[in-house]
Amino acid sequence: MKKNWYILLFSLISLTLSSCFNETIPRKAKTKSSSSYLKSSIERNKELAEQEEMLIEKAIKNNADSMLRSQNGFYYRLFKKSENNAPTPKFGDKVTFEYNVLALNGDTIYSTQELSPITKSLEQEYGVFTGMREALKLMQKGDSMVAYFPSYTAYGYYGDENKIGTNIPFKSHIKLIDVNDSNNKIEFQIPNN
């Protein structure tokens, strides 16, 4: 009887120990090569960018000499109305500006009255598309600009989910009304009583 008891105890201990060391190995995920999809997506985006570039160049062909191309890919013409010492917005500054959105053929998509004026911090990613933030950094308080934005600098694939569709380049007239420098902090003094 004691012998059976020892055998049973030994069996339970060995079963317990073996279950602790018997780790379940998760199965490996099946990997599917996405490099072909990535390559085709890159090619499709390059073709789209080239097509939009041609549309913009066609739209500005009469004024091409006066247009500049930014590092970010949009074309612009700056109309200086500011003084040389007027502030230029930088990351963190709040800017007040007005703008409109026109199709490349000149049709109004959004009027200045529908969109303006806007006061935003340049670091806010919502509400102001990338091309606009970069255009504002090229201006000084009081300046105006006409800019032609390819979709990859504007509303891109999704559009604005209202009037601007998928991958639509457009033109915009922009005026920088005010720049509130983030370094100009108001210091409060406590009066001595």
Side-chain angles (χ1 to χ4, degrees):
M1 172 104 173
K2 281 187 175 184
K3 190 175 182 183
N4 288 341
W5 176 251
Y6 286 120
I7 293 173
L8 182 62
L9 183 61
F10 179 73
S11 297
L12 280 172
I13 290 173
S14 61
L15 183 63
T16 305
L17 289 176
S18 69
S19 67
C20 291
F21 294 112
N22 186 11
E23 295 180 24
T24 305
I25 300 172
R27 67 184 174 121
K28 291 185 178 180
K30 292 182 182 179
T31 58
K32 189 176 182 181
S33 175
S34 64
S35 64
S36 63
Y37 173 75
L38 186 59
K39 286 179 185 176
S40 67
S41 178
I42 290 170
E43 288 304 313
R44 188 173 52 249
N45 286 335
K46 283 181 181 179
E47 289 173 14
L48 179 64
E50 287 173 7
Q51 289 172 359
E52 289 182 14
E53 186 91 15
M54 288 188 317
L55 288 171
I56 291 173
E57 286 175 359
K58 185 178 176 183
I60 65 171
K61 95 176 155 183
N62 293 338
N63 299 320
D65 295 340
S66 63
M67 301 298 283
L68 299 171
R69 189 170 195 271
S70 75
Q71 293 177 345
N72 301 87
F74 62 88
Y75 287 85
Y76 69 97
R77 182 174 179 200
L78 187 61
F79 302 97
K80 296 293 267 178
K81 294 187 179 177
S82 61
E83 301 171 11
N84 287 338
N85 60 353
T88 300
K90 57 190 175 303
F91 186 80
D93 290 349
K94 276 194 171 182
V95 293
T96 302
F97 63 99
E98 59 185 31
Y99 74 107
N100 63 3
V101 175
L102 306 171
L104 293 180
N105 67 4
D107 292 344
T108 300
I109 299 173
Y110 289 110
S111 69
T112 303
Q113 292 75 23
E114 290 176 276
L115 299 175
S116 303
I118 294 176
T119 300
K120 291 275 185 189
S121 172
L122 281 183
E123 62 204 39
Q124 289 178 329
E125 299 226 352
Y126 62 91
V128 180
F129 56 91
T130 306
M132 181 63 74
R133 283 196 305 272
E134 296 306 317
L136 290 167
K137 290 177 188 176
L138 297 172
M139 301 171 74
Q140 290 180 300
K141 179 180 175 179
D143 289 350
S144 315
M145 175 187 288
V146 61
Y148 291 81
F149 296 104
S151 67
Y152 65 86
T153 66
Y155 292 101
Y157 179 75
Y158 294 103
D160 74 341
E161 299 178 353
N162 193 9
K163 293 182 181 181
I164 301 173
T166 299
N167 298 322
I168 301 294
F170 59 83
K171 174 183 177 179
S172 184
H173 295 274
I174 308 160
K175 182 176 182 186
L176 182 57
I177 298 168
D178 198 12
V179 178
N180 295 318
D181 189 352
S182 61
N183 293 325
N184 290 341
K185 296 186 176 161
I186 300 172
E187 294 184 27
F188 294 99
Q189 295 181 354
I190 302 172
N192 294 333
N193 288 338

